[in-house]
């Protein structure tokens, strides 16, 4: 493949050729894995590149420099290098279904278009039978995960959530329940007058297998006061995640970007996640979430750009050296950008989803779900190898009549 010159004065800083430069055939297009050498005209990136190549940890100043540089291709090169060192071409996805049992929420976060006050137009709460019917609907293929999140309902008793999980487990014993953000867990513990540990233990006993990464937003108090004033604060989110990990529940972690946060807030967020992961090892995946302003009280803010979306993925991969996976959630950034992100550090695209509500209430224009074949096609067309996984990243094998998880 002929290397095309890029605009600007390159050749000032030029680095060793990557050994993985052979052409690979992926069936749809021919791609070169990191075929071109690292190059940049931003001198701040040279020492970062040296650390990345040596497998050394990046510090706060490095992370800020990655955010500040305009050389997105150099940042992407490094993130892609780390991604390929960890996963080669493997790209994970799952066959999952989202269930949002209620949108009634006491929190009234400015970032959110999904939550409704009780008894206001559009507010809903599923009866348990309705939630079980929803779980079974929408897609003929066997799902391996239910992703369950909802509002902070002021009246629903803790028992509703325990019955929801045990009822789902009874009806769909093979399906993993990835349920309730740290924010929901903290709210349920308050309502049930239980400690966080007791709440998590009861949820686990009722069938919860792991926790999604939502509600983390940005940990910095200054930002939290603007976007989600009534939620638990950053340290409570981290403490709840820590207890979940201690009792054997894996979780994910998110970061909501593209609103009123600055580079330092993002770096602070990433370093706090990395520090907790050093302690517990309980995080599986980091998911940067692009803020969707439509229909929120922050709708005057502009939407995120493609550059920012790719930057978040790449910086996440480079700073979170102890996170096994970086997810590019296609619903958030569109399937086209998610596909590109597979060359900017992401190794996971999330899943079929079937029925997404939270971002669609906030103006997302993506489809609400995607078929497994389409996810595989997108991944192959990026020159990557699609691997269907379960929630714990074990490979899933499908035949006409069965779905098997390698344990
Ligand atoms: O916590 C809410 C975010 C999160 C908006 O763990 C918004 O695998 C953008 O956490 N614009 C919930 N974001 C979703 C979530 C998630 C999604 C996919 C996979 C996983 C996983 C987790 O959505 C909330 C909040 O941070 N959110 N409103 C909005 N207007």
């Amino acid at each position: 493949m002929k290397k095309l010159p890029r605009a600007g004065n390159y050749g000032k800083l030029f680095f060793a050729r990557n050994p993985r430069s052979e052409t690979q055939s992926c069936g749809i297009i021919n791609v070169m894995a990191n075929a071109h050498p690292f190059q940049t005209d931003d001198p701040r990136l040279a020492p970062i590149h040296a650390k990345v190549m040596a497998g050394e940890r990046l510090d706060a100043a490095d992370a800020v420099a990655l955010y500040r540089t305009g050389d997105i291709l150099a940042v992407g090169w490094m993130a892609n290098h780390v991604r390929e060192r960890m996963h080669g071409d493997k790209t994970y996805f799952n066959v999952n279904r989202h269930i949002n049992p209620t949108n009634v929420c006491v929190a009234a976060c400015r970032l959110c278009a999904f939550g409704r006050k009780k008894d206001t137009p559009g507010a809903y709460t599923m009866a348990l039978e309705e939630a079980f019917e929803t779980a079974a609907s929408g897609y003929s293929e066997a799902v391996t995960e239910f992703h369950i999140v909802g509002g902070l309902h002021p009246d629903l008793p803790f028992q509703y959530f325990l019955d929801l999980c045990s009822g789902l487990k009874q009806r769909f014993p093979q399906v993993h329940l990835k349920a309730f953000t740290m924010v929901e867990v903290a709210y349920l513990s308050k309502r049930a007058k239980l400690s966080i540990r007791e709440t998590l233990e009861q949820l686990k006993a009722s069938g919860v297998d792991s926790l999604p990464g939502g509600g983390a937003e940005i940990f910095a108090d200054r930002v939290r006061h603007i976007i989600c004033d009534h939620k638990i604060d950053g340290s409570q989110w981290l403490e709840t995640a820590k207890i979940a990990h201690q009792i054997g529940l894996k979780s994910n972690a998110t970061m909501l970007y593209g609103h009123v946060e600055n580079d330092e807030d993002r770096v602070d967020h990433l370093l706090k996640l990395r520090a907790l992961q050093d302690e517990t090892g309980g995080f599986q995946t980091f998911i940067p979430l692009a803020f969707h302003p439509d229909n929120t009280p922050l709708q005057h803010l502009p939407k995120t750009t493609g550059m920012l979306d790719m930057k978040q993925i790449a910086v996440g991969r480079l700073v979170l050296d102890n996170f096994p996976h970086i997810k590019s959630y296609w619903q958030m950034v569109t399937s086209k950008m998610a596909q590109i992100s597979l060359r900017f550090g992401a190794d996971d695209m999330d899943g079929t989803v079937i029925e997404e509500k939270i971002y669609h209430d906030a103006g997302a224009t993506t489809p609400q779900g995607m078929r497994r074949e389409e996810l595989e096609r997108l991944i192959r067309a990026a020159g990557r190898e699609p691997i269907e996984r379960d929630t714990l990243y074990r490979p899933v094998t499908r035949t006409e009549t069965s779905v098997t998880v390698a344990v």
Side-chain angles (χ1 to χ4, degrees):
M1 190 170 82
K2 194 165 177 287
K3 194 165 83 61
L4 297 171
R6 290 192 291 167
N9 179 9
Y10 292 97
K12 271 193 252 165
L13 299 160
F14 206 74
F15 298 83
R17 191 164 277 280
N18 186 299
R20 294 193 66 221
S21 61
E22 74 282 7
T23 305
Q24 298 182 336
S25 170
C26 70
I28 295 175
I29 52 167
N30 283 331
V31 288
M32 306 268 287
N34 255 353
H36 53 85
F38 179 76
Q39 50 185 289
T40 183
D41 57 2
D42 185 340
R44 290 173 298 188
L45 297 186
I48 298 176
H49 172 256
K51 282 189 182 177
V52 169
M53 299 313 282
E56 281 172 31
R57 180 160 271 196
L58 303 186
D59 61 21
D62 297 328
V64 170
L66 290 169
Y67 276 125
R68 296 272 159 84
T69 183
D71 195 349
I72 183 75
L73 292 183
V75 177
W77 190 101
M78 292 188 277
N80 189 51
H81 179 84
V82 173
R83 182 255 198 252
E84 290 187 354
R85 194 160 66 197
M86 294 175 82
H87 302 290
D89 278 331
K90 289 194 172 91
T91 298
Y92 300 94
F93 70 97
N94 70 351
V95 176
N96 62 351
R97 195 202 203 291
H98 282 210
I99 305 172
N100 306 118
T102 180
N103 65 354
V104 172
C105 191
V106 294
C109 296
R110 286 192 193 91
L111 67 88
C112 184
F114 172 71
R116 299 279 188 285
K117 290 275 170 251
K118 202 172 66 153
D119 301 327
T120 59
Y124 74 84
T125 300
M126 292 179 185
L128 288 176
E129 277 309 320
E130 207 182 329
F132 301 145
E133 276 164 30
T134 301
S137 70
Y139 192 36
S140 55
E141 203 145 34
V143 300
T144 61
E145 171 189 285
F146 291 135
H147 169 123
I148 307 167
V149 296
L152 308 181
H153 196 299
D155 304 327
L156 274 182
F158 186 37
Q159 195 59 43
Y160 168 93
F161 297 93
L162 300 176
D163 293 346
L164 173 69
C165 294
S166 58
L168 285 169
K169 268 289 174 220
Q170 216 175 17
R171 289 164 179 80
F172 309 93
Q174 75 290 357
V175 179
H176 181 110
L177 301 188
K178 185 181 75 180
F180 312 124
T181 64
M182 307 308 160
V183 176
E184 291 168 89
V185 170
Y187 186 70
L188 290 176
S189 87
K190 214 165 71 177
R191 296 230 337 111
K193 299 192 171 47
L194 295 170
S195 68
I196 298 279
R197 185 176 294 271
E198 288 163 340
T199 307
L200 283 164
E201 275 165 353
Q202 290 200 25
L203 288 170
K204 189 178 178 196
S206 78
V208 169
D209 296 300
S210 72
L211 280 78
E217 322 309 3
I218 285 277
F219 293 140
D221 285 340
R222 179 188 62 79
V223 177
R224 253 180 139 72
H225 284 147
I226 300 170
I227 65 170
C228 56
D229 208 9
H230 305 298
K231 260 185 192 164
I232 53 171
D233 66 21
S235 60
Q236 288 168 311
W237 190 98
L238 289 160
E239 183 60 24
T240 307
K242 183 173 169 173
I243 297 168
H245 299 170
Q246 283 169 348
I247 69 162
L249 290 168
K250 294 274 184 195
S251 82
N252 293 334
T254 56
M255 176 173 81
L256 186 74
Y257 65 90
H259 39 86
V260 297
E261 86 288 6
N262 61 29
D263 293 338
E264 284 77 10
D265 297 324
R266 294 175 191 153
V267 171
D268 171 71
H269 189 93
L270 293 175
L271 294 187
K272 283 184 172 138
L273 288 177
R274 189 171 76 180
L276 180 57
Q277 179 73 335
D278 278 343
E279 220 180 308
T280 68
F283 289 118
Q284 302 201 100
T285 312
F286 172 66
I287 312 148
L289 296 173
F291 179 54
H292 283 50
D294 288 359
N295 308 320
T296 76
L298 298 173
Q299 63 187 346
H300 55 283
L301 294 176
K303 294 191 165 86
T304 66
T305 64
M307 291 288 275
L308 186 62
D309 292 338
M310 288 307 100
K311 202 49 125 24
Q312 299 306 325
I313 293 282
V315 178
R317 180 61 288 164
L318 288 166
V319 174
L320 297 177
D321 52 15
N322 52 6
F323 270 61
H325 302 284
I326 305 292
K327 183 188 285 187
S328 185
Y329 184 35
W330 68 265
Q331 290 270 4
M332 272 293 188
V333 292
T334 75
S335 57
K336 290 184 181 187
M337 291 304 283
Q339 191 188 31
I340 302 292
S341 74
L342 302 182
R343 303 234 148 227
F344 278 75
D347 63 278
D348 190 306
M349 277 186 70
D350 201 78
T352 49
V353 181
I354 302 181
E355 192 182 13
E356 203 293 313
K357 291 186 175 164
I358 296 175
Y359 316 115
H360 286 81
D361 281 354
T365 53
T366 46
Q368 281 192 288
M370 198 187 308
R371 296 195 73 85
R372 180 169 58 86
E373 296 77 11
E374 179 61 1
L375 277 163
E376 288 183 340
R377 189 182 74 84
L378 289 170
I379 294 168
R380 283 210 183 86
R384 298 301 198 194
E385 179 196 358
I387 309 279
E388 185 183 340
R389 60 162 177 89
D390 73 350
T391 312
L392 301 174
Y393 286 84
R394 297 172 300 194
V396 170
T397 312
R398 275 174 200 271
T399 67
E400 292 283 307
T401 51
S402 71
V403 180
T404 320
V405 176
V407 274

